[in-house]
């Protein structure tokens, strides 16, 4: 076994740690770890419809994700970052958020954006190079979902800045859970080594922000195993800044939901920032420009296929008596969403000339107006009226 394989196995073994919150075993049986005991009441309060909704979310977004990957391979997108394998961590955490909460994704949180109301074709437009941001975070239809950030870790600073604003404006810690707001920020194990993340944690702790740092440890920062970045579990980094930090089985949607819900409730109440490390696995490539066969083995990948979050939840639901019609209906919806994504992607137009001037500032700016006019005059100077 190579050093890299050993490193990956060491961190993968964290999932067996008794400190990790896990409700479902990889085979879908209900087998809570000792660390999960405080959360079982929340799990038991979930209705059949809510549990089936978690499954539906995961299946539909996987179909969308595969369609988007295919579209990139066929030359329709510049790049695609697959979310294959990380559905449970994302679905559970975002379903725990309230409508008034703010969400700061990285660039792989496709189901997070969809659940909050973002049209998935807006994600496609970003990866096709047609738009800078993709959607308007201030549009109520987008559920306070801020735009994707491809600069690793910088979204943690943005999130902490907004969370500090919530403190200054008295929008948390009032005792009214229907009004108090919180922030969730998503980042990965690679980003966790960025200075931005640590600076964000310093300010979050100093200002006691209503914030949850949600780390998806998918074991690989492109081709670098997480063990190379840290000699101790990543959740301990949050502890270093004085935050309660909880490791969870990131392929267990129920653990992700329950732990995030408690962390958000505490953050909204004024108890300060929390950190969650979701131990999961990127089953696909880092992006479509990456070839993971160059740095990891098929045995390693297969060991995580056996922990697939969707298969785990399906086995759990089947044991509870979910009907075959339900699973058929979910598959049909997933196929429809994937097909709709393909159709609407092929209908996308090019880039309007003036788009580059939009949204540079939140309000009109004379310098931008001057540049827009200069370009218009330049284009008009050609005989055909355009360059």
């Amino acid at each position: 076994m190579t050093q890299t394989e050993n490193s990956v196995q060491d961190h993968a073994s964290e999932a067996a740690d008794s400190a990790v919150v896990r409700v479902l075993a990889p085979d879908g049986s209900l087998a809570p770890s000792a660390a999960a005991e405080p959360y079982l009441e929340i799990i038991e309060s979930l209705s059949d419809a809510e549990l089936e909704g978690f499954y539906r979310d995961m299946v539909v977004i996987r179909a969308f994700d595969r369609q988007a990957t295919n579209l990139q391979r066929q030359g329709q997108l510049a790049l695609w970052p697959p979310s294959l394998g990380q559905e449970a961590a994302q679905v559970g955490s975002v379903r725990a958020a309230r409508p008034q909460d703010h969400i700061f994704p990285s660039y792989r949180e496709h189901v997070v954006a969809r659940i909050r109301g973002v049209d998935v074709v807006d994600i496609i437009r970003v990866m096709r190079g047609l738009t800078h941001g993709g959607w308007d975070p201030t549009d109520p239809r987008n559920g306070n979902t801020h735009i994707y950030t491809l600069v690793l870790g910088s979204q943690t600073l943005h999130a902490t800045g907004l969370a500090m604003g919530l403190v200054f404006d008295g929008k948390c810690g009032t005792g009214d859970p229907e009004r108090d707001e919180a922030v969730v920020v998503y980042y990965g194990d690679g980003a966790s080594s960025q200075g931005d993340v640590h600076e964000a944690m310093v300010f979050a702790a100093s200002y006691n922000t209503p914030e949850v740092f949600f780390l998806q440890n998918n074991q690989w920062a492109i081709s670098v195993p997480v063990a190379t970045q840290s000699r101790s579990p990543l959740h301990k980094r949050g502890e270093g800044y004085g935050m309660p930090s909880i490791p969870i089985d990131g392929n267990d949607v129920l653990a992700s939901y329950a732990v995030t819900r408690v962390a958000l409730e505490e953050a909204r109440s004024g108890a300060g920032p929390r950190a969650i490390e979701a131990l999961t696995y990127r089953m696909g490539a880092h992006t479509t420009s990456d070839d993971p066969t160059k740095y990891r083995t098929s045995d390693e990948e297969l060991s995580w296929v056996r922990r697939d979050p969707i298969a785990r939840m399906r086995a759990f639901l089947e044991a509870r008596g979910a009907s075959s019609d339900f699973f058929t209906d979910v598959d049909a919806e997933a196929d429809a969403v994937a097909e709709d994504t393909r159709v609407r992607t092929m209908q996308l137009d090019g880039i309007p000339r003036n788009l580059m001037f939009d949204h540079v500032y939140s309000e009109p700016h004379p310098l931008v107006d001057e540049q827009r006019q200069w370009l218009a005059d330049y284009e008009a100077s050609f005989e055909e009226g355009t360059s």
Side-chain angles (χ1 to χ4, degrees):
M1 183 174 288
T2 66
Q3 183 177 1
T4 296
E5 289 167 336
N6 271 321
S7 298
V8 171
Q9 192 169 60
D10 288 346
H11 274 254
S13 68
E14 293 167 2
D17 190 325
S18 61
V20 174
V21 176
R22 181 188 307 102
V23 179
L24 298 181
D27 65 1
S29 61
L30 195 63
S33 64
E37 291 295 332
Y39 302 97
L40 294 184
E41 187 174 343
I42 292 175
I43 302 297
E44 291 164 0
S45 70
L46 290 167
S47 66
D48 286 342
E50 288 172 311
L51 293 169
E52 292 178 356
F54 292 165
Y55 176 82
R56 184 183 295 272
D57 288 335
M58 293 192 290
V59 171
V60 169
I61 208 63
R62 183 169 289 189
F64 163 76
D65 186 57
R66 284 180 167 150
Q67 182 68 281
T69 300
N70 291 339
L71 286 166
Q72 196 285 328
R73 295 303 190 200
Q74 293 161 9
Q76 297 300 324
L77 307 181
L79 183 76
W80 185 253
S83 60
L84 181 66
Q86 298 182 220
E87 297 90 347
Q90 296 181 13
V91 168
S93 56
V94 74
R95 281 295 181 192
R98 285 178 173 268
Q100 70 266 31
D101 294 334
H102 287 261
I103 312 296
F104 284 81
S106 179
Y107 52 78
R108 204 187 298 278
E109 285 71 37
H110 313 316
V111 73
V112 170
R114 183 174 189 268
I115 287 172
R116 296 293 290 193
V118 173
D119 183 347
V120 290
V121 173
D122 282 342
I123 305 173
I124 293 288
R125 293 196 306 123
V126 173
M127 299 300 168
R128 194 174 165 98
L130 299 180
T131 169
H132 289 146
W135 59 89
D136 180 359
T138 65
D139 187 332
R141 292 175 297 180
N142 295 323
N144 292 332
T145 306
H146 296 257
I147 61 175
Y148 274 14
T149 307
L150 275 72
V151 180
L152 286 185
S154 62
Q155 76 277 12
T156 60
L157 290 171
H158 307 158
T160 299
L162 191 140
M164 289 169 61
L166 296 180
V167 174
F168 299 151
D169 292 342
K171 293 185 175 179
C172 60
T174 70
D176 182 355
E178 300 299 325
R179 196 188 75 178
D180 286 337
E181 300 177 26
V183 173
V184 184
V185 58
Y186 292 88
Y187 61 110
D189 47 278
S192 75
S193 293
Q194 293 283 111
D196 287 6
V197 174
H198 294 268
E199 291 162 14
M201 286 187 165
V202 167
F203 276 83
S206 298
Y207 286 87
N208 209 40
T209 58
E211 187 173 4
V212 174
F213 288 85
F214 195 92
L215 164 61
Q216 294 172 85
N217 177 357
N218 67 19
Q219 311 300 326
W220 289 93
I222 308 183
S223 59
V224 178
V226 67
T228 300
Q229 301 180 62
S230 177
R231 299 190 178 217
S232 61
L234 295 180
H235 70 270
K236 292 186 177 296
R237 290 181 171 177
E239 291 177 358
Y241 294 102
M243 299 179 200
S245 303
I246 302 173
I248 66 171
D249 184 333
N251 284 12
D252 178 353
V253 68
L254 301 185
S256 179
Y257 172 79
V259 173
T260 308
R261 179 172 150 178
V262 171
L264 278 170
E265 288 174 352
E266 292 172 344
R268 279 191 218 96
S269 73
R274 267 70 180 135
I276 296 170
E277 180 190 4
L279 295 155
T280 182
Y281 192 73
R282 165 170 56 80
M283 291 166 66
H286 174 72
T287 68
T288 44
S289 65
D290 169 47
D291 178 4
T293 65
K294 301 294 185 184
Y295 54 82
R296 65 187 191 190
T297 67
S298 57
D299 286 346
E300 177 192 322
E301 293 173 349
L302 288 172
S303 75
W304 283 92
V305 168
R306 291 192 286 272
R307 288 173 263 182
D308 185 289
I310 293 178
R312 183 183 307 200
M313 191 60 179
R314 176 168 182 141
F316 172 68
L317 292 175
E318 287 176 335
R320 287 174 58 93
S323 69
S324 59
D325 288 346
F326 163 72
F327 294 109
T328 300
D329 181 63
V330 170
D331 290 341
E333 180 179 342
D335 291 343
V337 168
E339 179 59 21
D340 177 68
T341 299
R342 170 168 289 276
V343 169
R344 289 200 289 148
T345 297
M346 303 307 291
Q347 293 172 344
L348 289 171
D349 293 328
I351 307 174
R353 186 178 65 193
N354 284 327
L355 181 64
M356 71 177 89
F357 300 109
D358 294 342
H359 311 303
V360 177
Y361 296 99
S362 59
E363 299 175 353
H365 193 286
L367 180 59
V368 174
D369 292 341
E370 179 184 334
Q371 292 177 340
R372 181 188 292 109
Q373 187 59 50
W374 181 92
L375 179 60
D377 293 343
Y378 175 77
E379 295 284 358
S381 68
F382 290 86
E383 289 184 358
E384 297 81 7
T386 185
S387 59

